[in-house]
Amino acid sequence: MFRKVVIGVSGGVDSAVSAYLLKKRGFEVCGAFMKNWDLIDESGYCSGEQDWEDAQRLCRWLAIPLEQINFVKEYWHEVFGSFLKDYDAGITPNPDILCNRHIKFNCFYHHARNQMNADAIATGHYAQTNFGPFLEHYSENERVRLFMAPDPIKDQTFFLSQITADTLRRTMFPIGALTKPQVKRLASEVGLEVFARKKESMGICFVGKRSFQQFIAEYIDTKPGPFVDIDSGQEVGQHAGIHHWTVGQKCKIGGCLQPYYVFRKHRDTNVIEVVSGHDHPLLFTDMVYAENPVWINAPHGLDHGAVVRCLFRFQHTKPLVGCSIFQSPLGRNDKVSGESRSKLFIKLDQPLRAITPGQYAVFYRNEECFGSARIVQPGPSTIYSTTS
């Protein structure tokens, strides 16, 4: 059923091994290299040119065609523009989730299907679906479901939680059932040692080697304001702009007995409220408000007003925490984006530190990732919850 597969080739070992496995399995494989950031117009370092050369080398070795696709305009509008807008508003976004949602699993998917006549796409992500790594269990009558990879460190379902079920139905994850050491070992065994030795790219590509504060200062004007100790009400220092800081972050304020940490930001007054001590009770809450969920496979009963039990995380590296979620009945699902206009109330089984507006509440059960919703705000802190 699936003959022609277009794989996103990044120049790294994960996509290299994925392309090799597809070719070995007998698919008609085409490579696609996505250019998302314009290196000519920006001063920030990015390994894009080297990655393009590595992608070309891989496709020559595999004897498969390679196309470079320019998504610079789309990336600027859908990812980078939203990124800057959120930071200017004092919100902390997640560009990796935005890139997957808008570029890799939207723009790239539709380009591959409509312009390259692909039956399916493939990527080097560590994730699995119930259809198998090569869609060998595909069924038109069965819902697609997203599952965690066996490598807990490399599992990327968190970053895929905003893609639509329609795209996921025709997406292959050839290395999704493997661990990173297994992928590197396989690369060395089949003659792809150069990719196995390549250093992994870390962090946000467009930031490059600069510090994040240096980078963000190039795009958002400095707006100094006070750090205010929420317990005493006293000003304890000055900051260069709320966009430089995120909830839970340690502040650089001298002359204090304990380090201060960001509790809350006020865009209208440019005040950053801070608390003394990493584990100050005000930083912890067991309630979260989120909106516009994207459901790959919505938990049963949620659409009918039921309170549903599942697992929650809002940071990729943090453990899963039990929770109860309730979805408001307002709004309806968008057939194109998969996004619901409804709101979610999430009650956590245990308080978590520094839940941050702009991040994503991602939901799981039994290794399955249901989808995610953007966090609007945390609920009241535990210090208020226990005294009310």
Side-chain angles (χ1 to χ4, degrees):
M1 181 178 183
F2 298 100
R3 185 176 64 86
K4 184 174 182 180
V5 181
V6 175
I7 179 168
V9 179
S10 67
V13 66
D14 297 329
S15 62
V17 171
S18 296
Y20 166 81
L21 291 173
L22 288 167
K23 182 74 181 291
K24 183 180 179 182
R25 200 169 177 91
F27 290 104
E28 179 188 342
V29 185
C30 297
F33 181 88
M34 286 169 265
K35 182 178 180 182
N36 299 331
W37 189 248
D38 197 333
L39 302 177
I40 297 174
D41 293 337
E42 298 299 323
S43 59
Y45 169 81
C46 183
S47 59
E49 291 303 321
Q50 182 60 55
D51 290 340
W52 168 237
E53 292 178 10
D54 290 339
Q56 292 175 296
R57 180 190 306 182
L58 170 71
C59 292
R60 284 195 300 267
W61 187 82
L62 290 175
I64 62 174
L66 174 65
E67 176 180 327
Q68 183 177 116
I69 312 173
N70 191 313
F71 291 136
V72 170
K73 182 169 70 173
E74 291 85 353
Y75 188 90
W76 183 278
H77 177 70
E78 298 290 353
V79 180
F80 189 65
S82 297
F83 173 88
L84 291 180
K85 182 179 179 181
D86 282 346
Y87 263 102
D88 191 38
I91 299 170
T92 305
N94 190 314
D96 293 322
I97 289 180
L98 291 176
C99 183
N100 280 329
R101 174 181 174 176
H102 295 292
I103 307 301
K104 295 177 183 176
F105 293 90
N106 185 14
C107 295
F108 166 56
Y109 173 79
H110 287 104
H111 180 91
R113 293 275 284 145
N114 300 328
Q115 305 301 319
M116 302 177 72
N117 299 314
D119 297 311
I121 65 167
T123 71
H125 286 93
Y126 289 84
Q128 304 180 90
T129 75
N130 55 316
F131 293 160
F134 303 100
L135 301 183
E136 61 267 43
H137 307 304
Y138 181 86
S139 171
E140 288 283 357
N141 301 319
E142 186 177 351
R143 284 188 175 186
V144 66
R145 300 167 68 189
L146 180 65
F147 291 94
M148 298 170 69
D151 190 330
I153 297 175
K154 295 302 295 182
D155 171 63
Q156 292 173 298
T157 53
F158 181 91
F159 301 107
L160 300 175
S161 63
Q162 284 270 301
I163 68 177
T164 67
D166 285 345
T167 299
L168 192 61
R169 290 185 68 84
R170 288 180 176 264
T171 297
M172 298 182 184
F173 299 117
I175 62 169
L178 303 177
T179 65
K180 187 73 173 192
Q182 288 174 325
V183 169
K184 286 191 171 185
R185 185 162 57 249
L186 180 57
S188 298
E189 290 172 355
V190 301
L192 297 171
E193 296 96 338
V194 63
F195 297 97
R197 294 194 301 267
K198 185 177 179 181
K199 185 178 179 181
E200 284 194 80
S201 59
M202 302 295 289
I204 305 171
C205 171
F206 52 72
V207 174
K209 292 185 176 180
R210 299 162 290 180
S211 72
F212 182 78
Q213 293 200 359
Q214 287 175 322
F215 163 79
I216 202 70
E218 295 182 13
Y219 293 92
I220 300 177
D221 293 337
T222 297
K223 300 174 185 176
F227 286 117
V228 174
D229 185 330
I230 194 170
D231 290 316
S232 68
Q234 300 297 310
E235 180 179 328
V236 292
Q238 284 279 317
H239 62 81
I242 60 173
H243 56 279
H244 287 293
W245 303 93
T246 189
V247 174
Q249 183 179 356
K250 183 179 178 179
C251 306
K252 298 177 181 178
I253 303 173
C256 49
L257 295 177
Q258 288 192 81
Y260 278 105
Y261 294 83
V262 175
F263 166 59
R264 190 163 50 200
K265 300 183 289 184
H266 298 274
R267 187 188 185 193
D268 53 344
T269 61
N270 217 31
V271 169
I272 296 180
E273 293 179 311
V274 296
V275 293
S276 181
H278 180 274
D279 295 326
H280 193 288
L282 284 176
L283 291 174
F284 290 80
T285 185
D286 59 1
M287 299 183 211
V288 184
Y289 299 95
E291 65 181 8
N292 302 338
V294 173
W295 298 116
I296 297 168
N297 184 28
H300 180 70
L302 196 64
D303 288 338
H304 303 291
V307 175
V308 174
R309 292 287 301 168
C310 60
L311 298 172
F312 165 98
R313 73 164 41 120
F314 77 103
Q315 292 174 315
H316 171 235
T317 57
K318 298 298 183 181
L320 291 164
V321 173
C323 73
S324 299
I325 57 176
F326 172 77
Q327 180 171 269
S328 71
L330 301 177
R332 56 179 64 176
N333 289 337
D334 186 295
K335 292 183 179 180
V336 176
S337 69
E339 185 176 280
S340 169
R341 300 302 171 187
S342 56
K343 299 181 184 296
L344 297 181
F345 170 73
I346 306 146
K347 180 68 169 63
L348 306 176
D349 290 355
Q350 64 187 67
L352 295 180
R353 181 184 182 275
I355 292 178
T356 308
Q359 294 292 292
Y360 287 85
V362 185
F363 305 103
Y364 294 83
R365 185 194 293 156
N366 297 330
E367 306 297 313
E368 180 178 2
C369 177
F370 290 130
S372 63
R374 198 173 196 225
I375 295 172
V376 178
Q377 66 182 53
S381 65
T382 52
I383 192 172
Y384 291 136
S385 300
T386 56
T387 57
S388 59

